[in-house]
Amino acid sequence: MDYDIKDTSLAPQGLLRIEWAEREMPVLRAIRERFAQERPLAGQRLGACLHVTTETANLVHTLQAGGAEVYLCASNPLSTQDDVAAALVTELGVPVFAICGEDNETYYRHINAVLDAQPTLTMDDGADLVTTLHQKRTELLGNLLGGTEETTTGVIRLRAMAQKGVLKYPIIAVNDANTKYLFDNRYGTGQSTLDGIIRATNLLLAGRTLVVAGYGWCGRGVALRARGLGAHVIVTEVNPLRALEAVMDGFRVLPMRKAAEEGDIFVTLTGDKNVLRSEHFEVMKDGAILANSGHFNVEIDLPALEEGAVNRRRLRPHVEEFTLRDGRRLYLLGEGRLINLAAAEGHPASVMDMSFANQALCAEYLAREAGQLAVTVHSVPQEIDEEIARLKLASLGVEIDTLTPEQEQYLASWQEGT
Ligand code: ADE
């Protein structure tokens, strides 16, 4: 079997950590049991480009139980957990192509190694696999039944492809399921981003001014949790509706040019580039900390930061100091890559349980509907979304009410008023 990972001897530790995550993934476990009976993915070759974590290992195990042959590469050069990659190779027999800290060339070589398996389904996080396929490996497009996309950034890229008429096979936007973004993006990113910042720096957040760039679901989560730790939170936005929500959620909203003067810690989660750039670096306080939790490392203008610096040194594993010409020092965390996976372990398993239940059930749906779906970006079918919410509630031991027949009839009628 072909694979490219750091060190197979790390497997025993990876296996124990995968087992630990599994305890928090009851919905995925239930799907795995059914998949093992029904084998809905038999005959599928599934090319996955995902963060190689303990949670992803549990997803891969589930897809294998469903009968798929899974090939896995990393969706970010810094997010791979090398012990998990080792366990996947040695214990589950999965061809994994991922090494933490790989350079850009290796990153794309690994994507191409997964594509060499001629997948019939793709599972992407950020759309690098799909865009490579559409630009460099077009001879493989004819094999594809469908794909899924995990994250906001990937869905934005895929919608742009669909709009321009270049997308060649149907994709399901897993990110947009309620059981994904309301939990993973908000509570997962909220907790894991602060976990990454704290593990990298060991800073006390209480009393600090933390600037959150972007008030999408991820930004909301970070703002909410930072407030809970006692930080003074400032939000920056370009969307008036989101800015208004941030105001009414009780946050200060400022343009970045002004927030830059006040912040002790900056976190970008916008999905766009150069959100923090020279004009902001110029006015930041000495000691300001810069972190990104968006998918790509483009949100902080790194070339501008490098150009403006007279000295650079690494102080801790994920903390790099840039001394500017006037002597002020700015601290970049995790090379500007998504801090929750670079310096911590990504989202906790309990939310990935729902995100990856969506992935598994959407893979089953794509295999079942093969050839029937229009070539565009699709929503997750509502039955899948609701089923996952039901299973998660049941696993938490939470019961809810059901409508009485009289209530159902009332909701379906219009004549009865005051
Ligand atoms: N994205 C964010 N957190 C993750 C995790 N723990 N595993 C896989 N993908 C993730």
Side-chain angles (χ1 to χ4, degrees), residues 156-168:
I156 291 170
R157 297 175 86 189
L158 292 160
R159 289 230 162 87
M161 288 173 74
Q163 204 161 26
K164 291 185 165 68
V166 296
L167 186 69
K168 295 293 182 219

Side-chain angles (χ1 to χ4, degrees), residues 51 53 55-56 125 150 184 340-341 345-348 352 356:
H51 300 296
T53 65
E55 293 74 25
T56 299
D125 186 338
E150 170 76 7
D184 169 314
N340 61 341
L341 282 142
E345 293 170 70
H347 302 349
M352 294 314 295
F356 285 168

Side-chain angles (χ1 to χ4, degrees), residues 172 360-370 373 379 381 383-384:
I172 301 183
L361 295 182
C362 286
E364 176 184 36
Y365 178 81
L366 285 168
R368 191 173 63 231
E369 298 293 315
L373 292 173
S379 302
E383 318 81 75
I384 290 183

Side-chain angles (χ1 to χ4, degrees), residues 347-363:
H347 302 349
S350 178
V351 285
M352 294 314 295
D353 188 27
M354 289 189 277
S355 309
F356 285 168
N358 273 290
Q359 290 285 8
L361 295 182
C362 286

Side-chain angles (χ1 to χ4, degrees), residues 88-104:
L88 281 167
V89 167
T90 62
E91 306 299 323
L92 293 183
V94 181
V96 179
F97 303 88
I99 300 171
C100 186
E102 63 195 14
D103 60 18
N104 251 30

Side-chain angles (χ1 to χ4, degrees), residues 9 20 29 117 124 150 208 227 320 331 392 397 403:
S9 76
W20 179 250
R29 282 203 311 270
D124 216 345
E150 170 76 7
R208 294 280 161 85
R227 175 159 68 188
E320 198 171 4
Y331 294 94
K392 190 69 176 176
L403 295 172

